[in-house]
Amino acid sequence: MNRDLSPRTKLVLYGVLLVLAVPFVFPTWWMVTSSLKPVADIFAFPPQLLPVSPRLEAYQRVFELQPFGRQYLNSLYIALVVTVGTLGVSALAGYAFARIRFRGQNLLFLVVLGGLLIPSEVTIVPLFQMFFKLGLVNTHWPLILVPIFGAPSVLATFIMRQFFISLPGELEEAARVDGLGRFATFWRIALPLSRPALGAVAIFTFLHSWNLYLEPIVFLSSPEKFTLPQALTQFVDAYGGPMWDVQLAAASMTALPVLVVFVIAQKQFVEGLAHTGLKG
């Protein structure tokens, strides 16, 4: 069967995809363009797709009202540390569950997966008490340790396990014949081949850490230690009302790294998820 589409069919297909993309693209477009408008023009009717007189005053006020640069760096380094830590933990755990046979293996894996069923709101109080006793409240340690050893790492472990199961066992048998031990086989054979799965894990881990909101408002109280989701709630006027232009400017800058990460690694994200089927 000829799989080549005619130019007319392609045109219709692209047109349909363009229409379907509007509900997803328009909110981002409105956010960015509205951050360049005066407050009176943001909710004008009919809506203005482009600012009549673009201005950057709102972006300047973002840094004047809050230590936004410091908060930006806080979110960035926490997300990077959490991503690297989760990649390390999930890759090792996923490989162990996929390749190392031991008593109670399946039961232990089910217990680990059970962590996905527990909402973060249920554990936030005991976690706060634990970190309070350790003297780590109002530090970034809870925002780093909880995601690495919590539900995001569980999902990452599942993805890595499914990917390692899909790898041909003959590759590792050949490595063992060459004299490689278990860890050397993982490091030199299995891990380099798991780049698509690692890409998928890195993307959703980075996004989860970048958008984390509940834990920062529980564990952090100093503005200079805030992360971006928490900082966005602080742009209010003297009466507690929202400063729309400033909030939209801060939100536009907050969304930028997310878009960059996804655009760069979207191919690895799709390929990684394609290898997480329930095989074996």
Side-chain angles (χ1 to χ4, degrees), residues 44-45 122 125 172 188 237 244 276 280:
F45 187 84
V122 174
V125 172
E172 298 183 24
R188 299 177 61 178
D237 58 24
W244 291 110
T276 59

Side-chain angles (χ1 to χ4, degrees), residues 163-215:
F163 186 91
F164 287 132
I165 287 177
S166 68
L167 290 180
E170 292 79 5
L171 295 176
E172 298 183 24
E173 293 177 2
R176 285 194 290 270
V177 170
D178 292 339
L180 294 181
R182 176 70 70 180
F183 183 79
T185 301
F186 161 78
W187 184 257
R188 299 177 61 178
I189 304 297
L191 191 61
L193 294 174
S194 65
R195 289 180 182 176
L198 291 173
V201 170
I203 289 178
F204 80 73
T205 302
F206 184 91
L207 296 184
H208 177 270
S209 179
W210 187 262
N211 295 323
L212 204 62
Y213 178 71
L214 176 62
E215 285 78 1

